[in-house]
Amino acid sequence: MQKLYHGAAFYPELWEREVVEEDIRHMQKIGINVVRIGEFIWSYIEPREGEIDISFLINVIKRLKEHGIDTVMCTPTATPPIWMSYQHPERMHVDNEGTVMSHGARQHFCTNNGYFREKAAIITEALAKGLGKLPGVIGWQLDNEFKCHVGECYCETCKVEWHNFLEQKYQTIDQLNTAWGTQIWSQYYQSFEQIPQPSSTPFLHNASLLTMYKIFTHEKIAEFAKEQATIIRSYSDIPITHNATVFFDLDQALLFENLDFASFDTYAVQENVSSYMMLCDLYRNIKKDSPFWLMETSTSFSASLERYASPHPDGYLQAEAVYAYAAGAEGFCYWLWRQQRTGCEIAHGSVISAWGKPTIGYKNVLEVERIRQELEPLLLHTEPLQAEVAICYSDRAKAYFQTEAFNGVQYKQILTDFYERFISLGIHRDLIMEQADLDGYKLLCTPFIPYLSSEYIQRTIAFVEKGGIWIVGPLTGGRTKDHTIQTDYALGELEKLAGVQALFTNPLDGTNTYGEAFGITADLGLWSTIFDVEKGENIGIIKDGVGAGNAFIKEMKRGKGKIVFLGSLPLGSQGEKMVEALIHHYAKEAAVKMEIKTTDGTAIIPRIGKDASYWVVVNMDGKTGEVTLPKKSVDWKSNQILESGKYEIPPYDYRVIKYHF
Ligand code: GAL
């Protein structure tokens, strides 16, 4: 990392030249050192088919560079021009009720449409050729928020692609029929062409069909991204990213596999601070060799014609920036620089207003810049410390829950609740994709992943055999790769290899079933796996209600480590305590370091340098927090010695504690 970036989305195509010049001077004055441009500019640079002129962009990028501002250049494929869509309904995105999208917003095109792919390749090539080596361009962003507004497409092109996808996956129609169990309800197919897209039906589609259509969508958008990245790479060595986030219909492991660095957007309000922290802890780990970017966030509030959020409390933006930079972000950027004069997001928060004056968030932006400068020397010479605890994240799991919601499970929400237990315990944690390397971790949690691949199970068991502890569940492992039920054991290969025995799988919500573990009793809920008490260690026992006398938490020794099954979700505040006790117990057993404590609402991000370790302690809740230092340390900013003991962290403020090895 050469420097820390502080940036904003910039739309010079929407303003007169003098305004653009004024904006560039203004950005320079307040320290904005990067802009992201061009993600919606297609019709401006190709007003008529084939008439591409990117000289406007070349000039803007030059002017920015002359003012010390770098550029992340976007491909504009999220908003194809009218000449592509006019009188061509067959090129548009179609939803599951058959509604054809009209021109006017964004993501209105089907990204699998051949004509779209062709035109997208041409415009991307023109940009890569013309700008790929231009001084000032430091990154590429593909498109904008793939699959943010639209999920699966049901157009005729997608129908053909869907059949090709299935044929490639299953080879023969018989293998598909067997895998999906299509004798059910006379679904049996004679050829791939007969397989419907999962559009309207009187009742529900087959789970396999639904989940596979989502996986098809994930794979096709990742394929489009790869196609675009390949074009750019033939003209430009500049790293490529995409601004994703966890609720889009994407398989990010697949998407980022072919990109160079990870980025995300978030508009979380302060009440959802844990979700904000979780995103930083996830995106830091998607591309381990490159720092991540927070590509878009609001200076204060988001808004559109439909709704608006409340402004951030004064100071919260600074805490967000400290957390992101300390967690490994190279860039912290706003959407957007100048409030839009037109469109559907005219009310959205920005750095300056449409009339060029500071907005309500402006003062905080100046503060973020002060902090960026203050932190830069530290962050350029240290790195985020890999956690010893990892929580597995899976977009494929999200697709399974979209198909089978187990009474309304929202993957992101339930995972965030689980993640909050680690925050409460003050345990440093990484969120990692299923494919991630497990080296260096001591405790791995795999909650809420209905399907675990055999490869994942084998690799994780190897991690356990070497001494790792693996907490599996709730809701993990009960489904196959085709979204069917296993027929050998309830939890399939995992159950067989672990030697545990699952007796029943059923819901526990609303049954007054409660269990006991670690001296805590709590109600149990969610779709649960109930284990026998014969084999292994019984850590949690169902005391009353459904399945009473059996186990809901089991521990199975394996090699030097353990597999711990959490079969049910302990509910309410007692349940939270129980899950925390479970995590704490196994973190301790795995010898996870838990040295430094803070009060709730104050976070710690550990970093590592050549001869010292650092703890960035930041207050996120706006109430004065406290950190307890276990040993004599140094205050990095003032260089003063800090004896062990308690120190205050003022609202949204931060401290860096240095500790020499
Ligand atoms: C993002 C999008 C931006 C802008 C922003 C408003 O999802 O990428 O273009 O619409 O939301 O919050």
Side-chain angles (χ1 to χ4, degrees):
M1 213 156 72
Q2 310 283 311
K3 65 172 161 186
L4 290 185
Y5 283 101
H6 184 196
F10 187 41
Y11 301 94
E13 68 274 25
L14 302 180
W15 299 94
E16 321 268 282
R17 204 186 157 137
E18 302 75 63
V19 178
V20 172
E21 285 292 322
E22 180 190 318
D23 282 349
I24 294 177
R25 285 194 301 273
H26 195 163
M27 287 186 212
Q28 181 182 32
K29 189 173 125 209
I30 66 168
I32 294 294
N33 59 10
V34 65
V35 294
R36 193 195 61 178
I37 62 172
E39 77 276 28
F40 305 126
I41 206 171
W42 198 341
S43 73
Y44 193 85
I45 57 174
E46 191 178 4
R48 276 163 299 276
E49 183 167 3
E51 292 178 21
I52 300 176
D53 180 357
I54 59 166
S55 53
F56 170 78
L57 284 167
I58 296 178
N59 287 332
V60 171
I61 294 169
K62 277 192 185 151
R63 290 301 287 150
L64 286 160
K65 184 68 190 156
E66 284 161 13
H67 289 77
I69 303 167
D70 289 329
T71 299
V72 172
M73 185 64 219
C74 305
T75 58
T77 44
T79 52
I82 189 73
W83 51 260
M84 286 178 64
S85 47
Y86 186 61
Q87 293 186 331
H88 284 287
E90 79 285 2
R91 295 175 183 166
M92 312 306 272
H93 179 91
V94 178
D95 74 11
N96 71 335
E97 284 172 359
T99 312
V100 180
M101 298 298 125
S102 72
H103 192 93
R106 48 190 181 186
Q107 301 187 348
H108 43 281
F109 253 72
C110 169
T111 47
N112 295 331
N113 178 271
Y115 178 80
F116 168 81
R117 290 274 182 112
E118 196 185 304
K119 293 292 150 188
I122 293 171
I123 194 75
T124 298
E125 183 173 29
L127 291 169
K129 223 177 188 170
L131 310 173
K133 295 196 165 49
L134 206 61
V137 178
I138 55 135
W140 288 98
Q141 177 190 296
L142 300 181
D143 202 280
N144 184 68
E145 296 191 340
F146 284 137
K147 298 289 172 191
C148 153
H149 302 296
V150 293
E152 300 102 56
C153 175
Y154 292 75
C155 75
E156 287 301 310
T157 304
C158 285
K159 191 194 247 174
V160 174
E161 293 295 334
W162 164 232
H163 295 150
N164 294 339
F165 162 87
L166 291 174
E167 191 159 359
Q168 265 186 21
K169 223 176 201 59
Y170 293 96
Q171 310 284 315
T172 67
I173 195 68
D174 277 352
Q175 294 197 52
L176 179 142
N177 279 314
T178 309
W180 293 11
T182 53
Q183 288 301 357
I184 201 150
W185 293 3
S186 292
Q187 285 165 1
Y188 184 84
Y189 303 109
Q190 297 150 323
S191 71
F192 286 103
E193 291 70 50
Q194 292 173 337
I195 302 174
Q197 293 160 293
S199 52
S200 315
T201 38
F203 188 44
L204 305 169
H205 275 289
N206 186 324
S208 306
L209 177 88
L210 287 166
T211 298
M212 280 306 147
Y213 205 69
K214 291 178 200 305
I215 289 170
F216 157 71
T217 303
H218 290 171
E219 289 191 12
K220 290 305 276 186
I221 198 75
E223 171 200 273
F224 173 52
K226 187 176 177 185
E227 206 171 282
Q228 292 271 297
T230 308
I231 297 170
I232 293 176
R233 286 192 185 114
S234 48
Y235 300 96
S236 172
D237 298 330
I238 293 157
I240 306 172
T241 191
H242 176 71
N243 57 333
T245 204
V246 292
F247 66 83
F248 303 161
D249 280 316
L250 296 172
D251 181 335
Q252 298 177 84
L254 209 60
L255 174 75
F256 283 112
E257 196 178 278
N258 297 305
L259 306 184
D260 303 308
F261 65 105
S263 306
F264 73 98
D265 297 349
T266 180
Y267 290 86
V269 292
Q270 187 189 319
E271 289 70 50
N272 296 336
V273 62
S274 50
S275 147
Y276 178 80
M277 290 158 65
M278 185 170 97
L279 293 173
C280 293
D281 292 342
L282 171 67
Y283 285 83
R284 171 179 66 239
N285 291 302
I286 293 185
K287 297 297 274 187
K288 276 228 156 156
D289 298 336
S290 310
F292 73 90
W293 280 53
L294 200 178
M295 199 57 95
E296 288 185 17
T297 195
S298 165
T299 60
S300 177
F301 59 91
S302 62
S304 69
L305 297 179
E306 267 181 331
R307 62 178 76 90
Y308 53 76
S310 307
H312 286 328
D314 189 21
Y316 180 63
L317 191 72
Q318 288 92 295
E320 283 190 312
V322 171
Y323 193 95
Y325 283 135
E330 180 177 34
F332 183 84
C333 306
Y334 310 110
W335 198 86
L336 75 171
W337 168 256
R338 185 181 277 257
Q339 176 190 13
Q340 293 187 332
R341 182 179 73 83
T342 61
C344 66
E345 296 185 314
I346 47 183
H348 202 287
S350 53
V351 184
I352 62 165
S353 63
W355 53 97
K357 292 284 183 285
T359 61
I360 194 76
Y362 186 84
K363 170 164 105 48
N364 298 98
V365 171
L366 301 185
E367 270 301 291
V368 170
E369 177 53 18
R370 184 189 62 71
I371 290 168
R372 184 194 70 81
Q373 292 182 19
E374 194 168 83
L375 278 176
E376 196 174 55
L378 171 75
L379 300 187
L380 296 187
H381 296 104
T382 59
E383 292 193 342
L385 180 74
Q386 181 182 325
E388 294 176 324
V389 175
I391 307 162
C392 189
Y393 174 89
S394 164
D395 280 317
R396 184 187 269 258
K398 191 176 70 190
Y400 274 66
F401 287 117
Q402 285 165 348
T403 295
E404 184 180 14
F406 293 101
N407 248 4
V409 168
Q410 300 271 343
Y411 178 65
K412 187 198 160 205
Q413 189 52 54
I414 203 162
L415 188 68
T416 310
D417 295 345
F418 191 80
Y419 169 86
E420 280 174 358
R421 310 283 62 81
F422 295 82
I423 301 185
S424 291
L425 290 163
I427 295 182
H428 178 43
R429 65 273 142 190
D430 283 339
L431 263 92
I432 58 171
M433 295 283 176
E434 284 164 277
Q435 296 75 356
D437 189 348
L438 298 176
D439 264 13
Y441 293 113
K442 294 178 173 171
L443 177 66
L444 171 70
C445 299
T446 310
F448 317 117
I449 305 198
Y451 160 64
L452 291 180
S453 71
S454 180
E455 189 277 330
Y456 184 86
I457 295 170
Q458 308 268 358
R459 195 156 45 83
T460 311
I461 287 186
F463 156 85
V464 171
E465 283 171 345
K466 281 190 265 160
I469 298 184
W470 181 23
I471 302 180
V472 197
L475 266 176
T476 297
R479 298 289 179 265
T480 67
K481 80 171 188 326
D482 298 295
H483 204 146
T484 62
I485 298 284
Q486 339 244 15
T487 49
D488 46 0
Y489 299 89
L491 304 182
E493 187 180 351
L494 171 62
E495 182 176 337
K496 184 173 162 202
L497 292 178
V500 70
Q501 198 192 345
L503 297 173
F504 317 108
T505 64
N506 49 266
L508 289 182
D509 317 73
T511 59
N512 292 325
T513 298
Y514 72 92
E516 189 185 304
F518 306 101
I520 301 166
T521 46
D523 286 337
L524 302 176
L526 210 69
W527 186 270
S528 303
T529 308
I530 299 176
F531 301 97
D532 83 347
V533 286
E534 300 293 306
K535 299 179 189 154
E537 291 282 317
N538 299 304
I539 305 296
I541 292 286
I542 301 178
K543 288 290 175 193
D544 198 12
V546 176
N550 295 303
F552 70 100
I553 308 179
K554 291 286 297 192
E555 177 189 300
M556 307 302 290
K557 289 201 176 47
R558 176 98 192 187
K560 294 186 186 147
K562 281 175 181 175
I563 307 177
V564 180
F565 289 86
L566 174 58
S568 186
L569 186 69
L571 302 176
S573 57
Q574 281 296 102
E576 288 178 357
K577 275 193 206 148
M578 189 187 279
V579 175
E580 284 172 18
L582 170 92
I583 296 166
H584 189 262
H585 174 87
Y586 288 106
K588 221 170 138 197
E589 192 175 320
V592 170
K593 285 186 216 76
M594 297 181 277
E595 302 162 293
I596 176 168
K597 294 266 170 286
T598 57
T599 43
D600 285 353
T602 295
I604 307 168
I605 309 109
R607 298 191 53 101
I608 187 96
K610 275 210 187 76
D611 53 0
S613 56
Y614 299 81
W615 293 308
V616 180
V617 187
V618 54
N619 175 266
M620 304 295 297
D621 70 355
K623 299 175 195 144
T624 302
E626 204 173 71
V627 58
T628 307
L629 304 184
K631 50 196 167 198
K632 192 164 164 178
S633 317
V634 174
D635 182 279
W636 171 77
K637 273 195 242 172
S638 66
N639 228 357
Q640 273 173 355
I641 301 284
L642 302 173
E643 297 300 334
S644 61
K646 293 188 190 319
Y647 293 88
E648 253 188 23
I649 310 290
Y652 303 124
D653 206 350
Y654 79 101
R655 254 187 130 131
V656 181
I657 317 286
K658 180 175 176 183
Y659 168 65
H660 286 284
F661 299 135

